[in-house]
């Protein structure tokens, strides 16, 4: 049995879905972050459970051919990136493998269904959204940056390679403002100060600054806003979101306009989309266009179809397909996103779309009861995936094709298994790297209805 702090030698043979290296020592499988497939490392044992152990790399004895020098000083402690120490090609291999592992182990589907991963053109600076936590360290000094791995401790870091430089510049200026005013930082005692700086940007370089604070107004707020407005002509919108709840949820439910527009407008797939701060919007715009194009290809629309877009956010996926179907119906739970979706249809001259605000499971069941029979259904759920009830309702509506866009291969695989137990076959799955350097991978999957006897009675 291994003891805590014992040193062991490991050959790293694979990576977990979170990007940790996996190596075997006798009977035990050890997980060691910041290693690469092909490394031989000396690791310190941190914890041992029944069949698995956890270690920390102390020395790389023989480096893997995948290794590169990380270009970020905090890459090993930051909770954002996990793949800064390996080549982008090795990262894409690991991400495709993550999808294959989920699809074969959880979905019980053949590996051959998983196509090549679509790599991102931009590996750095691709984020169009950043939420930077603000806090105080033990000495009462202001810290801003990113959460440390597996924790809610803020690691002070003002520049992130995943963000465009204008985001980093704005963050540095907000820090300069706050570091002289630590009393303005939100704490459980004051419940009024600043908790997060939330930035969004568009392809045209326009920026929205959303200050998330316990109260709508804070001391010297106009000093901060005026200096940002003056220095950054890119800023088109400043808003305050109020959140005084003691939870991990970042956004509160009230947003107030401070200056400029209430929402940003971005172009995507040649359409213009208004996106409110509360509405979901894909983070890597360039890659999103490729993802949507693949989803549209899978939908194989001819102009005759009724298309149902579940979890539609601001309507983006469905609206980029609306020119190729007869009717589009979108469903989304966030009211502001549905307001955006309706306006986005109007602003782009799309007349064959309607949108409903509600829970996807309940709304789909209602549509089914009303007799709506979509030919194609697109689902794009959050990480937790679909409910078994929604899968049953979708199968009962018996669309010819289902396009499943997923940000979590494990829940997607679980759901695909349920669809295959209904009347659907999985045709293919294409992984997309939307989030270079992090452990996240997106997938888009095509399913089609199996032809069975007595089809007309279904
Ligand atoms: N298809 C959109 C949004 C995908 S993100 C796009 O590509 O931009 C997932 C969306 O599901 C989010 O907008 C989230 O608000 C929404 N959502 C989460 N839970 C939901 C539920 N139970 N019912 C409907 N929508 C939900």
């Amino acid at each position: 049995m291994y003891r805590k702090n014992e040193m062991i030698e490991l050959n790293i043979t694979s990576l977990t879905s979170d990007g940790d290296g996996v190596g075997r020592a006798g009977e035990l499988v050890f997980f060691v972050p910041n290693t690469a497939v092909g490394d031989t490392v000396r690791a310190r044992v941190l914890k041992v459970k029944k069949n698995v152990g956890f270690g920390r790399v102390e020395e790389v004895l023989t480096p893997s051919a995948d290794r590169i020098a990380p270009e970020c000083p905090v890459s090993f402690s930051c909770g954002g990136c996990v793949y800064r120490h390996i080549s982008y090609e090795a990262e894409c291999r690991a991400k495709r493998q993550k999808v294959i592992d989920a699809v074969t182990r959880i979905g019980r589907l053949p590996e051959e269904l998983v196509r090549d991963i679509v790599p991102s053109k931009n590996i750095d600076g691709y984020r169009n959204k950043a939420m930077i936590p603000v806090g105080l360290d033990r000495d009462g000094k202001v810290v801003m940056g990113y959460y440390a791995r597996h924790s809610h401790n803020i690691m002070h870091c003002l520049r992130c390679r995943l963000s465009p430089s204008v985001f980093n510049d704005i963050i540095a200026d907000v820090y300069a403002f706050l570091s002289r005013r630590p009393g303005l930082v939100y704490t459980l005692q004051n419940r009024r100060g600043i908790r997060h700086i939330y930035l969004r940007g568009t392809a045209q370089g326009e920026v929205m600054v959303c200050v998330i604070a316990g109260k709508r107004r804070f001391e010297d707020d106009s000093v901060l806003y005026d200096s940002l407005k003056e220095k950054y002509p890119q800023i088109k919108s400043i808003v305050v979101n109020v959140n005084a709840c003691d939870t991990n949820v970042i956004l509160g439910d009230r947003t107030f306009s401070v200056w400029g527009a209430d929402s940003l407008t971005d172009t995507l797939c040649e359409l213009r989309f208004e996106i409110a701060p509360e509405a979901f919007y894909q983070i890597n715009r360039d890659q999103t266009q490729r993802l949507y194009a693949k989803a549209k290809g899978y939908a194989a629309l001819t102009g005759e179809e009724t298309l149902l877009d579940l979890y539609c956010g601001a309507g983006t996926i469905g609206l980029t397909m609306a020119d190729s179907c007869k009717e589009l119906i979108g469903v989304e739970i966030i009211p502001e996103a549905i307001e955006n979706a309706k306006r986005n249809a109007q602003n782009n001259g799309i007349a064959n779309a309607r949108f409903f605000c509600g829970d996807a499971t309940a709304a789909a069941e209602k549509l089914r009861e009303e007799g709506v029979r979509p030919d194609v259904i697109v689902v794009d759920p959050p990480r937790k995936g679909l409910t078994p009830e929604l899968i049953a309702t979708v199968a009962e509506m018996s669309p010819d094709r289902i396009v499943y866009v997923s940000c979590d291969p494990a829940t997607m695989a679980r759901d695909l298994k349920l669809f295959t137990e209904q009347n659907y076959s999985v045709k293919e799955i294409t992984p997309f790297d939307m989030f270079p350097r992090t452990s996240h991978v997106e997938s888009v999957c095509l399913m089609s209805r199996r032809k069975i006897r007595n089809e007309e009675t279904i």
Side-chain angles (χ1 to χ4, degrees), residues 282-424:
Q282 287 283 1
I283 274 177
N284 181 341
R285 177 182 168 278
D286 195 56
Q287 194 67 342
T288 301
Q289 305 199 88
R290 270 180 227 130
L291 177 83
Y292 286 5
K294 177 57 86 179
K296 193 170 184 174
Y298 282 169
L301 301 165
T302 64
E304 295 305 313
E305 294 85 358
T306 296
L307 170 67
L308 178 58
D309 179 9
L310 294 173
Y311 305 89
C312 70
T316 45
I317 297 186
L319 290 171
T320 60
M321 299 186 187
D323 62 348
S324 308
C325 67
K326 194 166 84 196
E327 188 194 12
L328 162 68
I329 306 170
V331 173
E332 158 64 43
I333 205 161
I334 303 282
E336 291 85 354
I338 279 294
E339 284 312 306
N340 283 157
K342 289 177 180 166
R343 257 203 311 278
N344 289 334
Q346 226 169 37
N347 294 345
N348 288 292
I350 295 171
N352 58 341
R354 50 194 174 114
F355 291 96
F356 299 104
C357 186
D359 166 56
T361 303
E365 177 55 20
K366 192 156 169 282
L367 290 166
R368 190 192 68 79
E369 281 167 13
E370 286 166 7
V372 174
R373 292 290 176 269
D375 303 285
V376 177
I377 299 184
V378 175
V379 294
D380 183 9
R383 275 186 213 160
K384 63 176 188 261
L386 307 176
T387 61
E389 295 77 18
L390 177 58
I391 293 172
T393 305
V394 165
E396 278 171 49
M397 289 200 273
S398 71
D400 293 336
R401 286 175 296 290
I402 301 167
V403 180
Y404 192 140
V405 181
S406 159
C407 54
D408 186 334
T411 56
M412 175 185 74
R414 178 202 67 199
D415 294 344
L416 296 186
K417 186 157 182 290
L418 292 181
F419 275 114
T420 58
E421 288 162 10
Q422 304 277 344
N423 198 23
Y424 285 86

Side-chain angles (χ1 to χ4, degrees), residues 52-259:
V52 297
F54 301 88
R56 184 176 67 213
V57 62
E58 294 282 326
E59 192 185 346
V60 180
L61 301 172
T62 319
S64 153
D66 294 340
R67 275 195 177 263
I68 58 167
E71 288 172 311
C72 170
V74 294
S75 76
F76 288 147
S77 39
C78 179
C81 295
V82 299
Y83 289 132
R84 285 230 161 256
H85 61 296
I86 63 173
S87 68
Y88 185 54
E89 194 213 332
E91 173 182 344
C92 284
R93 232 185 294 133
K95 288 180 170 176
R96 179 166 183 267
Q97 192 59 45
K98 174 174 171 169
V99 176
I100 290 175
D101 288 347
V103 163
T104 54
R105 291 175 194 166
I106 304 170
R108 305 265 162 229
L109 291 161
E111 173 172 345
E112 293 67 41
L113 292 173
V114 181
R115 297 288 184 263
D116 285 346
I117 186 166
V118 180
S120 177
K121 210 168 71 189
N122 304 315
I123 298 166
D124 283 326
Y126 61 82
R127 296 190 70 108
N128 59 23
K129 172 184 174 182
M131 284 174 144
I132 310 317
V134 178
L136 297 174
D137 69 7
R138 277 203 207 111
D139 304 325
K141 272 176 56 189
V142 177
V143 286
M144 283 177 75
Y146 303 87
Y147 291 121
R149 223 169 263 189
H150 305 305
S151 95
H152 267 89
N153 294 333
I154 301 170
M155 204 193 50
H156 185 64
C157 170
L158 298 179
R159 298 201 82 79
C160 172
R161 296 185 73 89
L162 303 186
S163 289
S165 56
V166 63
F167 282 15
N168 290 324
D169 294 344
I170 292 171
I171 292 304
D173 286 340
V174 175
Y175 174 71
F177 169 84
L178 281 177
S179 62
R180 291 191 297 271
R181 300 170 177 84
L184 294 188
V185 172
Y186 181 92
T187 62
L188 283 178
Q189 286 72 43
N190 71 34
R191 287 190 184 259
R192 36 185 315 124
I194 298 177
R195 309 177 69 152
H196 276 86
I197 301 297
Y198 163 23
L199 303 174
R200 257 190 175 166
T202 67
Q204 295 74 34
E206 298 184 342
V207 175
M208 179 201 74
V209 178
C210 174
V211 176
I212 304 172
K215 277 247 157 88
R216 182 177 175 176
R217 299 295 308 262
F218 47 89
E219 208 183 313
D220 287 346
D221 52 2
S222 51
V223 175
L224 175 66
Y225 301 144
D226 288 346
S227 69
L228 290 176
K229 272 184 322 207
E230 202 166 297
K231 184 160 171 196
Y232 299 97
Q234 301 97 315
I235 296 179
K236 299 293 172 207
S237 161
I238 301 179
V239 299
V240 178
N241 175 272
V242 177
N243 183 3
C245 295
D246 177 21
T247 66
N248 288 343
V249 178
I250 297 180
L251 272 183
D253 49 19
R254 284 174 304 149
T255 307
F256 301 94
S257 182
V258 172
W259 178 81

Side-chain angles (χ1 to χ4, degrees), residues 434-453:
M434 304 291 278
F435 319 106
R437 290 354 205 156
T438 75
S439 65
H440 301 288
V441 58
E442 194 94 1
S443 308
V444 49
C445 168
L446 169 65
M447 285 176 272
S448 71
R449 186 161 54 92
R450 285 195 285 266
K451 302 279 180 269
I452 55 164
R453 283 167 294 140

